[in-house]
Amino acid sequence: MVEKTRFASEEAQQLVLFSHRYESTEEISRNSLEAVKNAFDITCKQAFLQNPEGALRLMGIPGKVILTEKNVELQRTSDLKVDLAFWVEYPVGSKEYPEGERFLLHVEFQKQAQKNMPLRLAEYNMELALSNAERDKKGGLLKYPKIRSYVVYFWPGEGKDDPENCRIEYVIDVQYSKILL
């Protein structure tokens, strides 16, 4: 089961990107890089949302699960926004996890490799863990969620040198998976 929601900002981006309000090629060229970035993110998110079961298989997450879309707007002073985040839940008695399993699935789409990707994933994981921690009625911490992060690289050769981890000794150790398309 997938709960689909549209984000107002994406709707606005799509309207601007595909509208006929651009009257000259000069105006288009001034905004082309931002338009391409927005189109790429929107297209990848929509492809995932239209076939989440296929996307999960691509990531090696087996079986039938329940997906509930997360609000991916992380609140902080810098501009940090994950591409997609979902709660994935295997009900008790499922073939893959008879005791049940629940984790936060985090997906980033990349058209080119970036040296700071491991650190970005560490930041995303930390913020997702903090904002999704289970708390008691008084606000006390009960436990942090399990998080599985994936970076999906497009174009041959991109991401092949991504180490798939960020380790800052005694502070943080974040593992993630990459998928090369």
Side-chain angles (χ1 to χ4, degrees):
M1 176 177 77
V2 178
E3 295 178 15
K4 293 185 178 182
T5 58
R6 287 191 59 85
F7 298 104
S9 62
E10 287 178 6
E11 220 166 68
Q13 288 172 351
Q14 286 178 326
L15 289 174
V16 168
L17 185 62
F18 300 110
S19 73
H20 298 287
R21 76 170 184 82
Y22 291 113
E23 295 183 12
S24 70
T25 55
E26 182 181 311
E27 186 177 353
I28 292 172
S29 66
R30 276 186 294 196
N31 298 312
S32 63
L33 290 178
E34 190 62 27
V36 167
K37 178 191 168 294
N38 291 340
F40 183 79
D41 280 352
I42 291 167
T43 302
C44 290
K45 290 176 188 179
Q46 289 304 315
F48 185 103
L49 293 171
Q50 288 177 11
N51 185 9
E53 292 82 9
L56 291 174
R57 277 194 311 274
L58 175 69
M59 293 170 206
I61 298 173
K64 295 188 180 224
V65 299
I66 298 167
L67 286 178
T68 307
E69 190 167 350
K70 273 288 300 154
N71 176 4
V72 292
E73 301 293 329
L74 298 175
Q75 301 297 317
R76 51 179 298 171
T77 55
S78 65
D79 190 20
L80 183 65
K81 184 176 174 183
V82 302
D83 285 341
L84 289 175
F86 290 90
W87 280 110
V88 176
E89 188 172 347
Y90 287 92
V92 172
S94 67
K95 183 175 118 183
E96 296 78 13
Y97 293 95
E99 302 297 319
E101 175 75 359
R102 186 172 192 242
F103 61 89
L104 198 55
L105 171 64
H106 164 224
V107 182
E108 288 296 316
F109 299 107
Q110 291 296 123
K111 55 186 172 276
Q112 66 185 91
Q114 296 177 354
K115 288 182 181 180
N116 71 339
M117 186 52 68
L119 189 55
R120 281 181 52 200
L121 266 288
E123 275 190 276
Y124 290 142
N125 276 253
M126 183 63 76
E127 291 293 332
L128 286 166
L130 292 172
S131 65
N132 291 283
E134 289 182 29
R135 300 189 179 276
D136 62 21
K137 291 179 182 179
K138 294 181 179 180
L141 178 67
L142 295 175
K143 70 177 185 175
Y144 291 108
K146 293 178 184 177
I147 300 172
R148 293 189 192 175
S149 292
Y150 293 82
V151 179
V152 179
Y153 287 99
F154 296 90
W155 288 275
E158 291 299 328
K160 67 179 187 280
D161 295 328
D162 185 330
E164 299 182 71
N165 69 56
C166 178
R167 181 168 288 131
I168 302 170
E169 196 169 358
Y170 305 114
V171 178
I172 194 167
D173 186 5
V174 173
Q175 301 289 320
Y176 58 95
S177 299
K178 64 183 173 187
I179 296 173
L180 306 175
L181 296 181

